[in-house]
Amino acid sequence: MTSDGPFEVLDVLYASRLRELIEKYGVTQIYHLAAILSAKGEQHPQQAWDINMRGLFNVLEMARDFNLRLFFPSSIAVFGPTTPRVATPQDTITQPTTVYGISKIAGENWCQYFFLKYGVDVRSVRYPGIIGYQSLPGGGTTDYAVEVFHEAVKGNPYTCFLKADMSLPMLYMDDAIRGTLELMEASPSQIRIRTSYNMAGLSFTPAEVTRAIQQYVPGFTVGYEPDFRQQIAESWPSSIDDSAAREDWGWKPVFDLDYMTRDMLSHLADHYLVKLPGLGR
Ligand code: VAH
């Protein structure tokens, strides 16, 4: 038991255990966040496909059997090199070139199938890169945008695995959580799209987030050594049109680059017990 309620460790591929826990706790909603992300998925393609798809099938079947409301996180990784990169539309070409992206576009269509065929109330957004201080990143192409803050607060230089001018769509964790809850609390009649909604917060490059940090951590430096993740990032959009989410269920981000930077640095300074005079702490 945690301060927020019951806590169980579950392998999402273990369907019978998932069913037991749903019955044990009288679960009414599932936020299905378990998946292998883009970079890790390219290193273990079969495992990524298996976990991302079998895990989704398990929660979709449970949502059907128990009439649960289900959240499925898709990603801007469903877009590929043939997708318009600027202000990527809600309805456009989706030819992803990563296993992760392929699993997410397949997942979107399975979610729509379960809605149309069985009436399962499954809802989804295409998350950009999500940035938060609550945990370290794990296997994504946008991980640099979290790692860079940790190194800045610890007083270390950072070596970025993407090019300095690689612009990607991002979203601060506070906005991501609030927006996801707003989607899940919306009336079913508001949810016009049952594959997945485009969702965006802010776009920036490694150079831009570095400059934002240097406003508060003078002397912080970043070097660039692009690796295989640069090619993944180049296949994704640089900005997203999320007007459908704004019109249908009132989505609106709050955090811009400076606000996010101050919030990240402030929380990480507390975490590492570090003083940041530039931040007035
Ligand atoms: C990744 N953070 O980098 C995830 C996300 C759009 C990126 O899906 O794989």
Side-chain angles (χ1 to χ4, degrees), residues 69-103:
R69 186 168 292 186
L70 172 61
F71 174 72
F72 169 69
S74 184
S75 163
I76 61 151
V78 301
F79 303 119
T82 54
T83 305
R85 290 201 73 234
V86 177
T88 298
Q90 174 67 45
D91 296 314
T92 186
I93 301 165
T94 50
Q95 295 173 329
T97 52
T98 63
V99 172
Y100 173 69
I102 295 165
S103 76

PDB file of all heavy atoms in Angstrom, residues 69-103:
ATOM      1  N   ARG A  69     -12.995   1.867 -18.878  1.00  0.00           N
ATOM      2  CA  ARG A  69     -12.527   2.953 -19.730  1.00  0.00           C
ATOM      3  C   ARG A  69     -11.006   2.812 -19.805  1.00  0.00           C
ATOM      4  O   ARG A  69     -10.344   2.603 -18.782  1.00  0.00           O
ATOM      5  CB  ARG A  69     -12.926   4.319 -19.161  1.00  0.00           C
ATOM      6  CG  ARG A  69     -12.593   5.486 -20.066  1.00  0.00           C
ATOM      7  CD  ARG A  69     -13.245   6.795 -19.634  1.00  0.00           C
ATOM      8  NE  ARG A  69     -14.693   6.752 -19.797  1.00  0.00           N
ATOM      9  CZ  ARG A  69     -15.474   7.821 -19.589  1.00  0.00           C
ATOM     10  NH1 ARG A  69     -14.944   8.977 -19.187  1.00  0.00           N
ATOM     11  NH2 ARG A  69     -16.778   7.735 -19.746  1.00  0.00           N
ATOM     12  N   LEU A  70     -10.424   2.899 -21.000  1.00  0.00           N
ATOM     13  CA  LEU A  70      -9.012   2.584 -21.211  1.00  0.00           C
ATOM     14  C   LEU A  70      -8.292   3.758 -21.862  1.00  0.00           C
ATOM     15  O   LEU A  70      -8.802   4.360 -22.810  1.00  0.00           O
ATOM     16  CB  LEU A  70      -8.887   1.342 -22.100  1.00  0.00           C
ATOM     17  CG  LEU A  70      -7.497   0.942 -22.601  1.00  0.00           C
ATOM     18  CD1 LEU A  70      -6.557   0.626 -21.425  1.00  0.00           C
ATOM     19  CD2 LEU A  70      -7.593  -0.273 -23.530  1.00  0.00           C
ATOM     20  N   PHE A  71      -7.095   4.086 -21.353  1.00  0.00           N
ATOM     21  CA  PHE A  71      -6.226   5.065 -21.994  1.00  0.00           C
ATOM     22  C   PHE A  71      -5.042   4.352 -22.649  1.00  0.00           C
ATOM     23  O   PHE A  71      -4.336   3.580 -21.979  1.00  0.00           O
ATOM     24  CB  PHE A  71      -5.692   6.104 -20.989  1.00  0.00           C
ATOM     25  CG  PHE A  71      -4.671   7.025 -21.613  1.00  0.00           C
ATOM     26  CD1 PHE A  71      -5.076   7.998 -22.525  1.00  0.00           C
ATOM     27  CD2 PHE A  71      -3.321   6.896 -21.345  1.00  0.00           C
ATOM     28  CE1 PHE A  71      -4.143   8.831 -23.134  1.00  0.00           C
ATOM     29  CE2 PHE A  71      -2.381   7.727 -21.947  1.00  0.00           C
ATOM     30  CZ  PHE A  71      -2.800   8.690 -22.848  1.00  0.00           C
ATOM     31  N   PHE A  72      -4.850   4.651 -23.952  1.00  0.00           N
ATOM     32  CA  PHE A  72      -3.721   4.081 -24.687  1.00  0.00           C
ATOM     33  C   PHE A  72      -2.814   5.210 -25.162  1.00  0.00           C
ATOM     34  O   PHE A  72      -3.238   6.073 -25.936  1.00  0.00           O
ATOM     35  CB  PHE A  72      -4.216   3.289 -25.903  1.00  0.00           C
ATOM     36  CG  PHE A  72      -3.115   2.889 -26.856  1.00  0.00           C
ATOM     37  CD1 PHE A  72      -2.178   1.938 -26.493  1.00  0.00           C
ATOM     38  CD2 PHE A  72      -3.009   3.468 -28.120  1.00  0.00           C
ATOM     39  CE1 PHE A  72      -1.151   1.565 -27.366  1.00  0.00           C
ATOM     40  CE2 PHE A  72      -1.993   3.103 -29.005  1.00  0.00           C
ATOM     41  CZ  PHE A  72      -1.064   2.148 -28.623  1.00  0.00           C
ATOM     42  N   PRO A  73      -1.557   5.265 -24.700  1.00  0.00           N
ATOM     43  CA  PRO A  73      -0.659   6.323 -25.135  1.00  0.00           C
ATOM     44  C   PRO A  73      -0.051   5.989 -26.487  1.00  0.00           C
ATOM     45  O   PRO A  73       0.722   5.042 -26.613  1.00  0.00           O
ATOM     46  CB  PRO A  73       0.415   6.332 -24.050  1.00  0.00           C
ATOM     47  CG  PRO A  73       0.463   4.921 -23.556  1.00  0.00           C
ATOM     48  CD  PRO A  73      -0.909   4.342 -23.739  1.00  0.00           C
ATOM     49  N   SER A  74      -0.438   6.778 -27.526  1.00  0.00           N
ATOM     50  CA  SER A  74       0.284   6.643 -28.772  1.00  0.00           C
ATOM     51  C   SER A  74       1.405   7.681 -28.751  1.00  0.00           C
ATOM     52  O   SER A  74       1.772   8.184 -27.684  1.00  0.00           O
ATOM     53  CB  SER A  74      -0.656   6.842 -29.968  1.00  0.00           C
ATOM     54  OG  SER A  74       0.055   6.607 -31.180  1.00  0.00           O
ATOM     55  N   SER A  75       1.969   7.979 -29.904  1.00  0.00           N
ATOM     56  CA  SER A  75       3.173   8.807 -29.915  1.00  0.00           C
ATOM     57  C   SER A  75       3.332   9.477 -31.275  1.00  0.00           C
ATOM     58  O   SER A  75       2.837   8.972 -32.290  1.00  0.00           O
ATOM     59  CB  SER A  75       4.400   7.917 -29.651  1.00  0.00           C
ATOM     60  OG  SER A  75       5.591   8.569 -30.015  1.00  0.00           O
ATOM     61  N   ILE A  76       4.069  10.561 -31.292  1.00  0.00           N
ATOM     62  CA  ILE A  76       4.369  11.202 -32.588  1.00  0.00           C
ATOM     63  C   ILE A  76       5.290  10.288 -33.405  1.00  0.00           C
ATOM     64  O   ILE A  76       5.572  10.557 -34.570  1.00  0.00           O
ATOM     65  CB  ILE A  76       5.043  12.573 -32.399  1.00  0.00           C
ATOM     66  CG1 ILE A  76       6.371  12.422 -31.671  1.00  0.00           C
ATOM     67  CG2 ILE A  76       4.102  13.550 -31.710  1.00  0.00           C
ATOM     68  CD1 ILE A  76       7.380  13.454 -32.003  1.00  0.00           C
ATOM     69  N   ALA A  77       5.725   9.206 -32.766  1.00  0.00           N
ATOM     70  CA  ALA A  77       6.539   8.205 -33.477  1.00  0.00           C
ATOM     71  C   ALA A  77       5.730   7.462 -34.545  1.00  0.00           C
ATOM     72  O   ALA A  77       6.307   6.730 -35.352  1.00  0.00           O
ATOM     73  CB  ALA A  77       7.127   7.201 -32.487  1.00  0.00           C
ATOM     74  N   VAL A  78       4.398   7.659 -34.594  1.00  0.00           N
ATOM     75  CA  VAL A  78       3.609   7.017 -35.656  1.00  0.00           C
ATOM     76  C   VAL A  78       3.845   7.698 -37.007  1.00  0.00           C
ATOM     77  O   VAL A  78       3.503   7.162 -38.062  1.00  0.00           O
ATOM     78  CB  VAL A  78       2.094   7.032 -35.355  1.00  0.00           C
ATOM     79  CG1 VAL A  78       1.787   6.322 -34.053  1.00  0.00           C
ATOM     80  CG2 VAL A  78       1.535   8.457 -35.351  1.00  0.00           C
ATOM     81  N   PHE A  79       4.440   8.900 -36.949  1.00  0.00           N
ATOM     82  CA  PHE A  79       4.765   9.614 -38.190  1.00  0.00           C
ATOM     83  C   PHE A  79       6.149   9.196 -38.667  1.00  0.00           C
ATOM     84  O   PHE A  79       7.017   8.811 -37.873  1.00  0.00           O
ATOM     85  CB  PHE A  79       4.692  11.128 -37.959  1.00  0.00           C
ATOM     86  CG  PHE A  79       3.357  11.608 -37.453  1.00  0.00           C
ATOM     87  CD1 PHE A  79       3.255  12.245 -36.222  1.00  0.00           C
ATOM     88  CD2 PHE A  79       2.199  11.390 -38.192  1.00  0.00           C
ATOM     89  CE1 PHE A  79       2.024  12.666 -35.737  1.00  0.00           C
ATOM     90  CE2 PHE A  79       0.970  11.819 -37.722  1.00  0.00           C
ATOM     91  CZ  PHE A  79       0.879  12.444 -36.491  1.00  0.00           C
ATOM     92  N   GLY A  80       6.381   9.309 -39.984  1.00  0.00           N
ATOM     93  CA  GLY A  80       7.677   8.905 -40.520  1.00  0.00           C
ATOM     94  C   GLY A  80       8.212   9.933 -41.502  1.00  0.00           C
ATOM     95  O   GLY A  80       7.690  11.043 -41.602  1.00  0.00           O
ATOM     96  N   PRO A  81       9.248   9.559 -42.257  1.00  0.00           N
ATOM     97  CA  PRO A  81       9.921  10.507 -43.174  1.00  0.00           C
ATOM     98  C   PRO A  81       9.008  11.042 -44.282  1.00  0.00           C
ATOM     99  O   PRO A  81       9.277  12.091 -44.859  1.00  0.00           O
ATOM    100  CB  PRO A  81      11.049   9.659 -43.780  1.00  0.00           C
ATOM    101  CG  PRO A  81      11.169   8.435 -42.958  1.00  0.00           C
ATOM    102  CD  PRO A  81       9.883   8.228 -42.247  1.00  0.00           C
ATOM    103  N   THR A  82       7.887  10.342 -44.570  1.00  0.00           N
ATOM    104  CA  THR A  82       6.985  10.809 -45.642  1.00  0.00           C
ATOM    105  C   THR A  82       5.862  11.697 -45.096  1.00  0.00           C
ATOM    106  O   THR A  82       5.024  12.170 -45.858  1.00  0.00           O
ATOM    107  CB  THR A  82       6.330   9.589 -46.340  1.00  0.00           C
ATOM    108  OG1 THR A  82       5.706   8.781 -45.325  1.00  0.00           O
ATOM    109  CG2 THR A  82       7.382   8.766 -47.082  1.00  0.00           C
ATOM    110  N   THR A  83       5.864  11.928 -43.794  1.00  0.00           N
ATOM    111  CA  THR A  83       4.840  12.776 -43.172  1.00  0.00           C
ATOM    112  C   THR A  83       5.285  14.241 -43.245  1.00  0.00           C
ATOM    113  O   THR A  83       6.467  14.527 -43.030  1.00  0.00           O
ATOM    114  CB  THR A  83       4.675  12.400 -41.674  1.00  0.00           C
ATOM    115  OG1 THR A  83       4.403  11.009 -41.554  1.00  0.00           O
ATOM    116  CG2 THR A  83       3.563  13.208 -41.037  1.00  0.00           C
ATOM    117  N   PRO A  84       4.358  15.177 -43.531  1.00  0.00           N
ATOM    118  CA  PRO A  84       4.725  16.604 -43.467  1.00  0.00           C
ATOM    119  C   PRO A  84       5.277  16.932 -42.080  1.00  0.00           C
ATOM    120  O   PRO A  84       4.621  16.635 -41.067  1.00  0.00           O
ATOM    121  CB  PRO A  84       3.393  17.323 -43.718  1.00  0.00           C
ATOM    122  CG  PRO A  84       2.524  16.328 -44.403  1.00  0.00           C
ATOM    123  CD  PRO A  84       2.945  14.977 -43.916  1.00  0.00           C
ATOM    124  N   ARG A  85       6.482  17.538 -42.004  1.00  0.00           N
ATOM    125  CA  ARG A  85       7.183  17.646 -40.715  1.00  0.00           C
ATOM    126  C   ARG A  85       6.744  18.855 -39.879  1.00  0.00           C
ATOM    127  O   ARG A  85       6.897  18.876 -38.667  1.00  0.00           O
ATOM    128  CB  ARG A  85       8.710  17.774 -40.939  1.00  0.00           C
ATOM    129  CG  ARG A  85       9.370  16.499 -41.450  1.00  0.00           C
ATOM    130  CD  ARG A  85      10.874  16.501 -41.173  1.00  0.00           C
ATOM    131  NE  ARG A  85      11.136  16.292 -39.742  1.00  0.00           N
ATOM    132  CZ  ARG A  85      11.883  17.108 -38.999  1.00  0.00           C
ATOM    133  NH1 ARG A  85      12.382  18.196 -39.522  1.00  0.00           N
ATOM    134  NH2 ARG A  85      12.092  16.833 -37.715  1.00  0.00           N
ATOM    135  N   VAL A  86       6.217  19.891 -40.553  1.00  0.00           N
ATOM    136  CA  VAL A  86       5.862  21.122 -39.828  1.00  0.00           C
ATOM    137  C   VAL A  86       4.348  21.182 -39.659  1.00  0.00           C
ATOM    138  O   VAL A  86       3.608  20.962 -40.618  1.00  0.00           O
ATOM    139  CB  VAL A  86       6.365  22.370 -40.583  1.00  0.00           C
ATOM    140  CG1 VAL A  86       5.932  23.650 -39.856  1.00  0.00           C
ATOM    141  CG2 VAL A  86       7.886  22.326 -40.723  1.00  0.00           C
ATOM    142  N   ALA A  87       3.924  21.420 -38.412  1.00  0.00           N
ATOM    143  CA  ALA A  87       2.480  21.456 -38.097  1.00  0.00           C
ATOM    144  C   ALA A  87       1.799  20.207 -38.646  1.00  0.00           C
ATOM    145  O   ALA A  87       0.782  20.272 -39.354  1.00  0.00           O
ATOM    146  CB  ALA A  87       1.823  22.715 -38.661  1.00  0.00           C
ATOM    147  N   THR A  88       2.382  19.051 -38.295  1.00  0.00           N
ATOM    148  CA  THR A  88       1.879  17.759 -38.784  1.00  0.00           C
ATOM    149  C   THR A  88       0.381  17.619 -38.499  1.00  0.00           C
ATOM    150  O   THR A  88      -0.038  17.730 -37.355  1.00  0.00           O
ATOM    151  CB  THR A  88       2.675  16.616 -38.129  1.00  0.00           C
ATOM    152  OG1 THR A  88       4.053  16.740 -38.510  1.00  0.00           O
ATOM    153  CG2 THR A  88       2.149  15.257 -38.575  1.00  0.00           C
ATOM    154  N   PRO A  89      -0.420  17.363 -39.535  1.00  0.00           N
ATOM    155  CA  PRO A  89      -1.879  17.339 -39.353  1.00  0.00           C
ATOM    156  C   PRO A  89      -2.371  16.127 -38.562  1.00  0.00           C
ATOM    157  O   PRO A  89      -1.658  15.118 -38.458  1.00  0.00           O
ATOM    158  CB  PRO A  89      -2.424  17.280 -40.792  1.00  0.00           C
ATOM    159  CG  PRO A  89      -1.280  17.582 -41.688  1.00  0.00           C
ATOM    160  CD  PRO A  89      -0.035  17.230 -40.945  1.00  0.00           C
ATOM    161  N   GLN A  90      -3.590  16.194 -38.069  1.00  0.00           N
ATOM    162  CA  GLN A  90      -4.198  15.069 -37.374  1.00  0.00           C
ATOM    163  C   GLN A  90      -4.325  13.871 -38.306  1.00  0.00           C
ATOM    164  O   GLN A  90      -3.992  12.750 -37.933  1.00  0.00           O
ATOM    165  CB  GLN A  90      -5.593  15.477 -36.857  1.00  0.00           C
ATOM    166  CG  GLN A  90      -6.394  14.335 -36.231  1.00  0.00           C
ATOM    167  CD  GLN A  90      -5.800  13.816 -34.946  1.00  0.00           C
ATOM    168  OE1 GLN A  90      -5.392  14.581 -34.066  1.00  0.00           O
ATOM    169  NE2 GLN A  90      -5.709  12.506 -34.808  1.00  0.00           N
ATOM    170  N   ASP A  91      -4.817  14.124 -39.531  1.00  0.00           N
ATOM    171  CA  ASP A  91      -4.982  13.037 -40.507  1.00  0.00           C
ATOM    172  C   ASP A  91      -3.956  13.221 -41.609  1.00  0.00           C
ATOM    173  O   ASP A  91      -4.029  14.172 -42.388  1.00  0.00           O
ATOM    174  CB  ASP A  91      -6.404  13.067 -41.097  1.00  0.00           C
ATOM    175  CG  ASP A  91      -7.452  12.796 -40.004  1.00  0.00           C
ATOM    176  OD1 ASP A  91      -7.244  11.852 -39.218  1.00  0.00           O
ATOM    177  OD2 ASP A  91      -8.424  13.576 -39.911  1.00  0.00           O
ATOM    178  N   THR A  92      -2.959  12.335 -41.640  1.00  0.00           N
ATOM    179  CA  THR A  92      -1.879  12.469 -42.622  1.00  0.00           C
ATOM    180  C   THR A  92      -1.206  11.114 -42.811  1.00  0.00           C
ATOM    181  O   THR A  92      -1.651  10.096 -42.274  1.00  0.00           O
ATOM    182  CB  THR A  92      -0.871  13.530 -42.145  1.00  0.00           C
ATOM    183  OG1 THR A  92       0.103  13.767 -43.165  1.00  0.00           O
ATOM    184  CG2 THR A  92      -0.164  13.086 -40.879  1.00  0.00           C
ATOM    185  N   ILE A  93      -0.133  11.121 -43.572  1.00  0.00           N
ATOM    186  CA  ILE A  93       0.605   9.881 -43.847  1.00  0.00           C
ATOM    187  C   ILE A  93       1.280   9.387 -42.566  1.00  0.00           C
ATOM    188  O   ILE A  93       1.928  10.158 -41.854  1.00  0.00           O
ATOM    189  CB  ILE A  93       1.703  10.156 -44.909  1.00  0.00           C
ATOM    190  CG1 ILE A  93       1.071  10.679 -46.205  1.00  0.00           C
ATOM    191  CG2 ILE A  93       2.531   8.893 -45.173  1.00  0.00           C
ATOM    192  CD1 ILE A  93       2.086  11.293 -47.150  1.00  0.00           C
ATOM    193  N   THR A  94       1.068   8.095 -42.283  1.00  0.00           N
ATOM    194  CA  THR A  94       1.742   7.503 -41.107  1.00  0.00           C
ATOM    195  C   THR A  94       2.503   6.262 -41.584  1.00  0.00           C
ATOM    196  O   THR A  94       1.936   5.161 -41.646  1.00  0.00           O
ATOM    197  CB  THR A  94       0.708   7.107 -40.021  1.00  0.00           C
ATOM    198  OG1 THR A  94      -0.332   6.339 -40.651  1.00  0.00           O
ATOM    199  CG2 THR A  94       0.091   8.335 -39.365  1.00  0.00           C
ATOM    200  N   GLN A  95       3.780   6.486 -41.909  1.00  0.00           N
ATOM    201  CA  GLN A  95       4.669   5.372 -42.326  1.00  0.00           C
ATOM    202  C   GLN A  95       5.906   5.387 -41.428  1.00  0.00           C
ATOM    203  O   GLN A  95       6.996   5.791 -41.842  1.00  0.00           O
ATOM    204  CB  GLN A  95       5.060   5.528 -43.805  1.00  0.00           C
ATOM    205  CG  GLN A  95       3.865   5.388 -44.755  1.00  0.00           C
ATOM    206  CD  GLN A  95       4.199   5.711 -46.206  1.00  0.00           C
ATOM    207  OE1 GLN A  95       5.068   6.540 -46.483  1.00  0.00           O
ATOM    208  NE2 GLN A  95       3.503   5.067 -47.125  1.00  0.00           N
ATOM    209  N   PRO A  96       5.727   4.956 -40.168  1.00  0.00           N
ATOM    210  CA  PRO A  96       6.841   5.002 -39.208  1.00  0.00           C
ATOM    211  C   PRO A  96       7.977   4.067 -39.612  1.00  0.00           C
ATOM    212  O   PRO A  96       7.737   3.048 -40.267  1.00  0.00           O
ATOM    213  CB  PRO A  96       6.200   4.546 -37.906  1.00  0.00           C
ATOM    214  CG  PRO A  96       4.999   3.750 -38.307  1.00  0.00           C
ATOM    215  CD  PRO A  96       4.511   4.339 -39.581  1.00  0.00           C
ATOM    216  N   THR A  97       9.182   4.425 -39.216  1.00  0.00           N
ATOM    217  CA  THR A  97      10.357   3.601 -39.545  1.00  0.00           C
ATOM    218  C   THR A  97      11.017   3.039 -38.286  1.00  0.00           C
ATOM    219  O   THR A  97      12.185   2.626 -38.338  1.00  0.00           O
ATOM    220  CB  THR A  97      11.396   4.444 -40.322  1.00  0.00           C
ATOM    221  OG1 THR A  97      11.648   5.648 -39.570  1.00  0.00           O
ATOM    222  CG2 THR A  97      10.874   4.809 -41.705  1.00  0.00           C
ATOM    223  N   THR A  98      10.270   3.028 -37.162  1.00  0.00           N
ATOM    224  CA  THR A  98      10.781   2.338 -35.968  1.00  0.00           C
ATOM    225  C   THR A  98       9.760   1.286 -35.542  1.00  0.00           C
ATOM    226  O   THR A  98       8.556   1.428 -35.812  1.00  0.00           O
ATOM    227  CB  THR A  98      10.963   3.319 -34.778  1.00  0.00           C
ATOM    228  OG1 THR A  98       9.681   3.860 -34.414  1.00  0.00           O
ATOM    229  CG2 THR A  98      11.941   4.432 -35.130  1.00  0.00           C
ATOM    230  N   VAL A  99      10.248   0.256 -34.840  1.00  0.00           N
ATOM    231  CA  VAL A  99       9.336  -0.794 -34.356  1.00  0.00           C
ATOM    232  C   VAL A  99       8.325  -0.173 -33.409  1.00  0.00           C
ATOM    233  O   VAL A  99       7.133  -0.459 -33.442  1.00  0.00           O
ATOM    234  CB  VAL A  99      10.133  -1.905 -33.638  1.00  0.00           C
ATOM    235  CG1 VAL A  99       9.202  -2.904 -32.947  1.00  0.00           C
ATOM    236  CG2 VAL A  99      11.059  -2.604 -34.611  1.00  0.00           C
ATOM    237  N   TYR A 100       8.806   0.731 -32.592  1.00  0.00           N
ATOM    238  CA  TYR A 100       7.947   1.435 -31.633  1.00  0.00           C
ATOM    239  C   TYR A 100       6.818   2.170 -32.362  1.00  0.00           C
ATOM    240  O   TYR A 100       5.642   2.022 -32.020  1.00  0.00           O
ATOM    241  CB  TYR A 100       8.803   2.429 -30.855  1.00  0.00           C
ATOM    242  CG  TYR A 100       8.094   3.358 -29.931  1.00  0.00           C
ATOM    243  CD1 TYR A 100       7.473   2.895 -28.767  1.00  0.00           C
ATOM    244  CD2 TYR A 100       8.068   4.729 -30.185  1.00  0.00           C
ATOM    245  CE1 TYR A 100       6.846   3.771 -27.898  1.00  0.00           C
ATOM    246  CE2 TYR A 100       7.443   5.608 -29.319  1.00  0.00           C
ATOM    247  CZ  TYR A 100       6.834   5.131 -28.182  1.00  0.00           C
ATOM    248  OH  TYR A 100       6.216   6.009 -27.316  1.00  0.00           O
ATOM    249  N   GLY A 101       7.182   2.916 -33.418  1.00  0.00           N
ATOM    250  CA  GLY A 101       6.183   3.664 -34.189  1.00  0.00           C
ATOM    251  C   GLY A 101       5.205   2.735 -34.889  1.00  0.00           C
ATOM    252  O   GLY A 101       3.991   2.996 -34.908  1.00  0.00           O
ATOM    253  N   ILE A 102       5.706   1.627 -35.440  1.00  0.00           N
ATOM    254  CA  ILE A 102       4.834   0.644 -36.093  1.00  0.00           C
ATOM    255  C   ILE A 102       3.858   0.045 -35.079  1.00  0.00           C
ATOM    256  O   ILE A 102       2.660  -0.099 -35.340  1.00  0.00           O
ATOM    257  CB  ILE A 102       5.693  -0.466 -36.755  1.00  0.00           C
ATOM    258  CG1 ILE A 102       6.540   0.121 -37.890  1.00  0.00           C
ATOM    259  CG2 ILE A 102       4.799  -1.595 -37.291  1.00  0.00           C
ATOM    260  CD1 ILE A 102       7.665  -0.813 -38.356  1.00  0.00           C
ATOM    261  N   SER A 103       4.373  -0.246 -33.864  1.00  0.00           N
ATOM    262  CA  SER A 103       3.488  -0.823 -32.830  1.00  0.00           C
ATOM    263  C   SER A 103       2.441   0.199 -32.387  1.00  0.00           C
ATOM    264  O   SER A 103       1.308  -0.162 -32.059  1.00  0.00           O
ATOM    265  CB  SER A 103       4.318  -1.304 -31.631  1.00  0.00           C
ATOM    266  OG  SER A 103       4.751  -0.224 -30.811  1.00  0.00           O
TER     267      SER A 103
END
